[in-house]
Amino acid sequence: MDQSLSLKYDMLVPRYTSYPTAPHFNESVTGAVYADWLRALPADTDLSLYFHIPFCDSMCWFCGCYTKIVKRYEPVAGYLEVVLDEIDLVADTLPARFAASHLHWGGGSPTMLTGEDWMRILDKLRARFDVTADAEVAVELDPRTATEDYVRALSAAGVNRASIGVQDFHPEVQAAINRIQPYDMTRRVVDWLRGNGIPDLNMDLLYGLPHQTVDRVVDMVDKAVTLAPARIALFGYAHVPWMKSHQKMIHEADLPGTEARWRQFEAAADRLVELGYVRIGLDHFALPDDALAVSLRRGRLHRNFQGYTADQAPAMLGFGASAIGYLPQGYVQNISPLKAFRESVEGGTLPIARGFALSDEDRLRRTVIERIMCDLAVDLDDLAPGRDFAAEMARLAPLADDGIVALDGGRITVNADARPFVRLVAAAFDAYLKQGEQRHSKAV
Ligand SMILES: C[S@@+](CC[C@H](N)C(=O)[O-])C[C@H]1O[C@@H](n2cnc3c(N)ncnc32)[C@H](O)[C@@H]1O
Ligand code: SF4
């Protein structure tokens, strides 16, 4: 693939962790609408539950997540009480007691919670939902704040999957992103996790960070693989200082340009494949027997706000400030400011800020976009026989001329070496893209 294409298509497009994407959510979806949607859920719906813990003890300059820096436990403890109440509020609204097969804690840093508080949340969840015996219980974990006691508490609470934030191992890169985390610190946490019966590990790595080079990202991959995670997420650093003002602490002069980002991604991805990992969609890698790789082979890979997933649950309920959930009827997002979030829950109102009610047209486009993002291919004739996609095909024509995508009747296939452009192919089916474009990050 000609690298100059990365410059030609150096545009801002969404990552399509949902469709429509979050900037298009609107305020017509209120707590009352969410309550109606919850009440309409068939009692046998398998649920996925997501919990957002928006606290960290120091700010990484690259961070794009919704989090707040705290130096004391008090605000975290106070927040936990609100989330426990929110669980009751949602469970009281649901028309029955539901099974939950996936529990996921993200942030921010869920490592900010004490072991004791972990037990309280799990107790509450088991009181209000049937957490299935084989449920996946996953936690995002910052190795800088985890202790062995903490990992023991996670294990006791039933956690069986951990996603470890690494980003890069190089000291100069770590200094530039305000995240000092020596390799041995990460290895120690991995050993604790495995020693405490939490074997399923993901590792988050980034490319496109300040001072990263091709050699450094290949070295980063080699170091990560010595720890044998079953999954690796290799994200491109999204530099959006107009949305995240602390990213201004990153000197733009130290950032690799578009072509350099492309080379870094390709080199890291090639190395991972050489080392036995299967490429999953845009930016994930998994060992061949991991559930993500198995789902990909079976055409059952999905994409949600946590990235690529083997989770098949048709509904995800989001808990905590800014958390996003989805139901058959559409998406809902919780209020982000902590005070307003708390006041809503304390007032007995589901703390919804916005959302999106899906039409059948949205659902069709969502399926097309999800299949492109997951399988790098879609057959429009299979998905929507007789439907005219002439406008979308016209949008794809220049990408086909550049060798990014192959068009064969209704069959669209992203070419193997054009994988980093998959978001551009998906964007051809996005009916809402124009209005929110400037809020996204670079395509490559
Ligand atoms: C909530 S954090 C993971 C847990 C924990 N807070 C930590 O950092 O170890 C989620 C992940 O999002 C990714 N991330 C955060 N900001 C990003 C950005 N601006 N661009 C791309 N990826 C980003 C990082 O790889 C990070 O590990
Ligand atoms: S990357 Fe993780 S630890 Fe760093 S500020 Fe963001 S959420 Fe917190």
Side-chain angles (χ1 to χ4, degrees):
M1 175 73 29
D2 181 356
Q3 281 170 16
S4 65
L5 287 179
S6 62
L7 289 177
K8 176 170 173 185
Y9 291 108
D10 183 20
M11 51 176 67
L12 305 179
V13 277
R15 295 179 60 234
Y16 292 114
T17 52
S18 69
Y19 178 78
T21 54
H24 300 290
F25 291 4
N26 59 68
E27 289 170 7
S28 68
V29 178
T30 58
V33 171
Y34 184 37
D36 287 342
W37 290 0
L38 287 172
R39 284 188 204 105
L41 263 186
D44 59 356
T45 310
D46 184 21
L47 294 181
S48 202
L49 309 180
Y50 172 76
F51 303 87
H52 195 77
I53 309 296
F55 301 103
C56 293
D57 67 359
S58 69
M59 184 58 89
C60 309
W61 299 147
F62 67 89
C63 184
C65 306
Y66 175 62
T67 192
K68 193 174 154 55
I69 304 307
V70 288
K71 296 292 176 197
R72 298 168 304 124
Y73 194 63
E74 218 178 309
V76 184
Y79 176 78
L80 177 70
E81 297 306 322
V82 182
V83 174
L84 292 173
D85 287 347
E86 188 194 7
I87 295 171
D88 279 331
L89 205 53
V90 170
D92 288 344
T93 311
L94 285 166
R97 194 180 154 88
F98 280 69
S101 60
H102 283 76
L103 314 181
H104 186 115
W105 278 265
S109 294
T111 5
M112 295 294 285
L113 291 168
T114 61
E116 224 165 80
D117 280 341
W118 270 102
M119 295 314 285
R120 289 186 62 208
I121 307 182
L122 265 297
D123 287 348
K124 168 68 80 184
L125 286 175
R126 294 201 172 97
R128 302 305 314 250
F129 293 91
D130 290 326
V131 179
T132 59
D134 59 350
E136 177 177 278
V137 186
V139 174
E140 292 176 13
L141 191 144
D142 178 353
R144 297 168 306 159
T145 44
T147 62
E148 187 167 16
D149 275 353
Y150 183 81
V151 171
R152 262 192 225 115
L154 291 183
S155 173
V159 169
N160 49 30
R161 179 177 284 284
S163 178
I164 303 167
V166 172
Q167 326 312 343
D168 192 355
F169 292 104
H170 198 283
E172 193 185 359
V173 177
Q174 292 190 352
I177 59 174
N178 196 36
R179 183 177 175 120
I180 305 302
Q181 183 180 324
Y183 170 83
D184 284 345
M185 187 185 272
T186 304
R187 196 196 53 201
R188 197 177 58 174
V189 167
V190 168
D191 289 345
W192 289 336
L193 287 162
R194 294 216 165 98
N196 283 282
I198 306 178
D200 292 331
L201 305 182
N202 171 75
M203 220 165 255
D204 286 345
L205 302 177
L206 294 179
Y207 69 92
L209 286 174
H211 303 296
Q212 278 184 321
T213 61
V214 166
D215 287 348
R216 284 181 178 180
V217 296
V218 171
D219 187 54
M220 161 183 93
V221 164
D222 285 345
K223 286 202 168 66
V225 171
T226 60
L227 303 172
R231 296 179 188 177
I232 288 180
L234 177 64
F235 299 127
Y237 165 49
H239 188 61
V240 286
W242 56 93
M243 284 175 74
K244 297 283 172 184
S245 58
H246 53 261
Q247 289 187 348
K248 292 183 186 139
M249 297 297 289
I250 289 186
H251 303 299
E252 292 191 353
D254 298 337
L255 288 173
T258 302
E259 270 187 284
R261 279 171 69 95
W262 168 279
R263 283 197 303 273
Q264 288 175 14
F265 178 71
E266 287 297 290
D270 287 350
R271 184 61 149 205
L272 282 163
V273 171
E274 214 176 290
L275 293 170
Y277 286 80
V278 175
R279 293 186 75 151
I280 310 282
L282 173 64
D283 48 17
H284 283 44
F285 298 80
L287 292 176
D289 58 352
D290 180 83
L292 272 192
V294 174
S295 299
L296 176 68
R297 286 198 291 277
R298 294 184 180 157
R300 288 168 67 79
L301 185 67
H302 288 288
R303 187 153 170 82
N304 66 19
F305 293 99
Q306 282 77 56
Y308 289 100
T309 177
D311 182 0
Q312 307 292 325
M316 174 181 278
L317 309 186
F319 297 89
S322 82
I324 299 179
Y326 49 84
L327 293 168
Q329 301 92 331
Y331 296 99
V332 282
Q333 179 167 27
N334 274 357
I335 297 170
S336 296
L338 297 179
K339 184 165 172 279
F341 169 71
R342 188 190 69 229
E343 284 169 359
S344 177
V345 174
E346 282 174 354
T349 306
L350 291 166
I352 300 303
R354 62 182 76 82
F356 201 99
L358 292 166
S359 65
D360 286 344
E361 173 71 12
D362 295 327
R363 285 191 185 89
L364 172 61
R365 289 179 182 276
R366 179 174 65 163
T367 305
V368 173
I369 286 175
E370 190 182 35
R371 288 340 308 155
I372 293 172
M373 293 300 292
C374 290
D375 303 335
L376 304 167
V378 68
D379 196 324
L380 299 173
D381 297 333
D382 279 357
L383 273 184
R387 160 77 193 240
D388 180 7
F389 282 108
E392 290 76 10
M393 291 313 233
R395 261 179 247 147
L396 288 174
L399 299 180
D401 291 343
D402 281 332
I404 289 174
V405 74
L407 307 177
D408 176 13
R411 175 101 193 141
I412 298 168
T413 311
V414 180
N415 290 329
D417 55 356
R419 192 183 286 256
F421 293 113
V422 63
R423 300 182 331 172
L424 290 170
V425 179
F429 292 88
D430 184 342
Y432 302 99
L433 185 58
K434 288 224 165 47
Q435 312 93 13
E437 263 173 351
Q438 73 287 358
R439 303 181 63 171
H440 304 290
S441 56
K442 287 190 176 201
V444 176

